[in-house]
Amino acid sequence: MKKIRTYIYLLPKKMKNSSISSTNGYASWMAILCFGLLLQILSFMSILLLQNSFLCLANKQSQMDLSSLSQASHIIKNNNYVRRCNIPKEELIEYFEMDMGKTHVTFEDMDTFIQVIQKQPNKTIEMNVYYDEKGVSGFEIQKK
């Protein structure tokens, strides 16, 4: 029996690795590392979501601008045709209004440019489409 007792006493005691566990037994540095990684992933995902929402808004606005520019181009072609072919002045499109979804759009011919005003519920966009005898020569956009 003495041999068994001495054998039990000779077993090495469990050594505590202080670099892995904290005083309460949990691996705190691993938890902090995982938490930091989680914060980085969440911030990256929020930045991507924010960029995608701005891209969707820009895409919607560019579609409105292209639609307005296309309609202004049609008005320019019609007015140039009327002016060149000596058709009566009643055929000129000097003022035109239309609705594009929730946006009210007004076109007004000023002889050298067409003023396009887009009235949206929360903002107004004014676009000047400059033209000559050949067609559209340029445009500028002003947000109000």
Side-chain angles (χ1 to χ4, degrees):
M1 191 88 154
K2 282 187 173 184
K3 289 184 182 181
I4 294 177
R5 285 185 189 166
T6 56
Y7 181 74
I8 292 176
Y9 289 121
L10 293 177
L11 286 177
K13 293 182 179 180
K14 287 186 179 180
M15 297 194 73
K16 198 174 195 181
N17 190 350
S18 62
S19 65
I20 294 176
S21 300
S22 65
T23 57
N24 61 2
Y26 294 105
S28 60
W29 67 271
M30 185 65 86
I32 291 173
L33 182 69
C34 291
F35 182 70
L37 185 62
L38 178 69
L39 283 177
Q40 285 184 348
I41 291 172
L42 287 177
S43 65
F44 179 70
M45 296 287 286
S46 65
I47 288 171
L48 285 179
L49 183 65
L50 189 64
Q51 284 179 346
N52 285 341
S53 65
F54 282 136
L55 282 176
C56 288
L57 289 175
N59 186 23
K60 182 187 267 187
Q61 182 60 44
S62 67
Q63 286 177 354
M64 289 296 299
D65 292 342
L66 286 176
S67 299
S68 300
L69 191 59
S70 173
Q71 186 67 31
S73 175
H74 172 71
I75 293 171
I76 290 168
K77 286 179 185 177
N78 178 64
N79 290 352
N80 281 341
Y81 177 73
V82 169
R83 288 182 184 121
R84 273 189 262 146
C85 297
N86 294 327
I87 297 176
K89 299 290 184 189
E90 292 84 31
E91 296 293 322
L92 283 174
I93 302 173
E94 293 180 349
Y95 187 81
F96 182 70
E97 291 183 1
M98 67 183 299
D99 289 323
M100 294 181 190
K102 295 179 182 177
T103 305
H104 182 73
V105 184
T106 304
F107 300 90
E108 188 173 355
D109 189 5
M110 304 288 192
D111 291 332
T112 58
F113 66 94
I114 291 185
Q115 184 178 28
V116 181
I117 300 173
Q118 298 175 358
K119 292 184 181 176
Q120 297 176 352
N122 54 359
K123 63 183 173 180
T124 300
I125 298 175
E126 187 175 310
M127 183 181 349
N128 294 334
V129 181
Y130 298 98
Y131 67 93
D132 54 10
E133 293 82 25
K134 297 177 183 177
V136 177
S137 61
F139 66 95
E140 63 181 24
I141 298 175
Q142 302 168 355
K143 295 182 181 180
K144 294 182 178 180

